[in-house]
Amino acid sequence: MERAKRNAVLAIALVVLAVAAARVEAQENSDVKTLVKYKRGKKYCDKGWECKGWSIYCCNLTITDYFQTYQFENLFSKRNTPVAHAVGFWDYHSFIAAAALFEPQGFGTTGNKTMQMMEIAAFLGHVGSKTSCGYGVATGGPLAWGLCYNHEMSPMQSYCDEYFKLTYPCTPGAEYYGRGAIPIFWNYNYGAVGEALKVDLLSHPEYIEQNATLAFQAAIWRWMTPIKKYQPSAHDAFVGNWKPTKNDTMENRVPGFGTTMNILYGDGVCGQGDVDTMNNIVSHYMYYLDLLGVGREEAGPHELLTCAEQVPFNPSSKAASST
């Protein structure tokens, strides 16, 4: 009975996500009045469905002000071709519905328009690289095939780590292989994401590959959330909120795109010189900057753009989302 009740609640949660995506479609072209108030000399805004709640970031442009459906289609132009593996799954409205949850926290709403567009290009650069089925001579080029997948195709294991059996116990029959826009692996990562989004992903990890809004929410949550306390999130490292310590500087960790890879993947990508896995993520980011009209020249010098010489924050950490 309890399990049936919980499943009913989770089903309702997924319906709510679907309604949110539909609401984006209905409201993105409507005029939303910006509410403004001042507190201790600071300006706070509420822009309704897309940037709800009093936030300094909601006073800036919101994502739909500068990132439209046609741009999403340009970035992921091959995702619905017959040879792709998630045809019909990913779409613009699901991304915007997911992003709306995090825009009041500064996702895509920090800084001026150029910085905002660069963050969207950076985040989606990770997404495109991690979900691509592009290769060297693929039609449209290897960078046009992001969002080709929504789950790992041939998982070799169930990714259940019994070390976390007290905090994030594996559900019998559940498999915690890679799913999502920035793929989630392992029970402890599904557990942490589920706690944050209030969805029981430990019992139902498959929800990530069944609902694109939830999949994008999980990826944006990872982008916005530090792996460990006292470390920056990928968002903070990218937009300049993070101030490196002397130790960070000694270990070549500086604000910029390169450090977002360090945070998300650790030594799976970073500190190994100019390896292909790192270069592929960087290439997606620069390609997206060009497509969005920002231009790759805004990405900065090599030491900001890559993590080739960076010491990982968390060497061989299982907390990194790609392990």
Side-chain angles (χ1 to χ4, degrees):
M1 178 69 75
E2 240 355 90
R3 185 175 181 82
K5 189 185 294 183
R6 189 170 71 243
N7 286 344
V9 171
L10 291 171
I12 290 169
L14 291 179
V15 169
V16 169
L17 290 172
V19 170
R23 188 180 298 151
V24 170
E25 190 159 10
Q27 293 182 318
E28 64 178 346
N29 294 319
S30 67
D31 292 327
V32 177
K33 185 178 180 182
T34 301
L35 303 177
V36 179
K37 72 176 181 180
Y38 292 86
K39 187 176 179 182
R40 293 175 186 167
K42 278 192 174 180
K43 184 180 179 183
Y44 295 83
C45 299
D46 183 316
K47 287 189 176 175
W49 68 271
E50 189 179 359
C51 204
K52 189 151 189 65
W54 295 106
S55 167
I56 58 172
Y57 300 110
C58 294
C59 299
N60 298 332
L61 295 175
T62 52
I63 294 174
T64 58
D65 289 328
Y66 60 83
F67 185 61
Q68 309 294 327
T69 305
Y70 78 92
Q71 292 164 304
F72 184 91
E73 297 299 328
N74 286 345
L75 266 54
F76 304 109
S77 60
K78 299 297 182 181
R79 75 185 191 285
N80 288 327
T81 55
V83 295
H85 300 281
V87 174
F89 183 76
W90 304 104
D91 63 21
Y92 172 79
H93 298 300
S94 297
F95 171 67
I96 295 299
L101 188 64
F102 298 93
E103 290 188 56
Q105 300 172 32
F107 177 68
T109 52
T110 298
N112 60 23
K113 183 180 178 180
T114 299
M115 172 55 75
Q116 292 173 309
M117 295 182 77
M118 286 178 68
E119 182 177 14
I120 295 305
F123 169 76
L124 292 177
H126 285 277
V127 169
S129 174
K130 291 297 176 180
T131 58
S132 175
C133 56
Y135 54 94
V137 294
T139 306
L143 303 177
W145 290 82
L147 295 180
C148 176
Y149 298 103
N150 64 2
H151 66 276
E152 187 179 1
M153 294 305 293
S154 302
M156 302 299 291
Q157 57 174 308
S158 61
Y159 296 96
C160 172
D161 189 338
E162 290 294 340
Y163 179 81
F164 294 89
K165 63 184 178 183
L166 296 180
T167 48
Y168 298 121
C170 300
T171 298
E175 295 190 342
Y176 303 101
Y177 56 79
R179 298 177 178 90
I182 295 178
I184 309 166
F185 295 80
W186 296 101
N187 52 307
Y188 48 84
N189 284 322
Y190 277 92
V193 173
E195 278 181 353
L197 300 180
K198 297 180 172 55
V199 179
D200 186 5
L201 295 179
L202 272 178
S203 297
H204 295 284
E206 71 278 4
Y207 283 169
I208 293 291
E209 62 182 284
Q210 293 172 353
N211 186 286
T213 300
L214 184 61
F216 275 128
Q217 282 182 347
I220 300 170
W221 176 83
R222 179 71 284 160
W223 176 262
M224 298 294 292
T225 307
I227 298 289
K228 289 183 179 178
K229 203 174 180 181
Y230 307 119
Q231 292 181 1
S233 65
H235 165 77
D236 285 335
F238 185 80
V239 302
N241 291 342
W242 167 62
K243 305 302 178 195
T245 64
K246 186 180 290 186
N247 188 56
D248 289 320
T249 303
M250 286 174 57
E251 296 186 338
N252 299 316
R253 296 189 293 262
V254 293
F257 186 76
T259 297
T260 70
M261 294 186 284
N262 192 328
I263 293 163
L264 295 174
Y265 318 118
D267 55 12
V269 167
C270 299
Q272 303 179 41
D274 287 313
V275 294
D276 288 345
T277 48
M278 182 195 73
N279 287 333
N280 185 265
I281 302 168
V282 173
S283 293
H284 277 81
Y285 170 48
M286 292 196 295
Y287 177 64
Y288 293 171
L289 284 176
D290 287 343
L291 287 181
L292 291 178
V294 177
R296 63 183 60 207
E297 60 275 7
E298 293 289 339
H302 185 268
E303 61 269 21
L304 300 184
L305 191 54
T306 80
C307 59
E309 307 302 326
Q310 291 188 16
V311 176
F313 280 102
N314 303 302
S316 298
S317 169
K318 285 184 177 180
S321 62
S322 67
T323 57

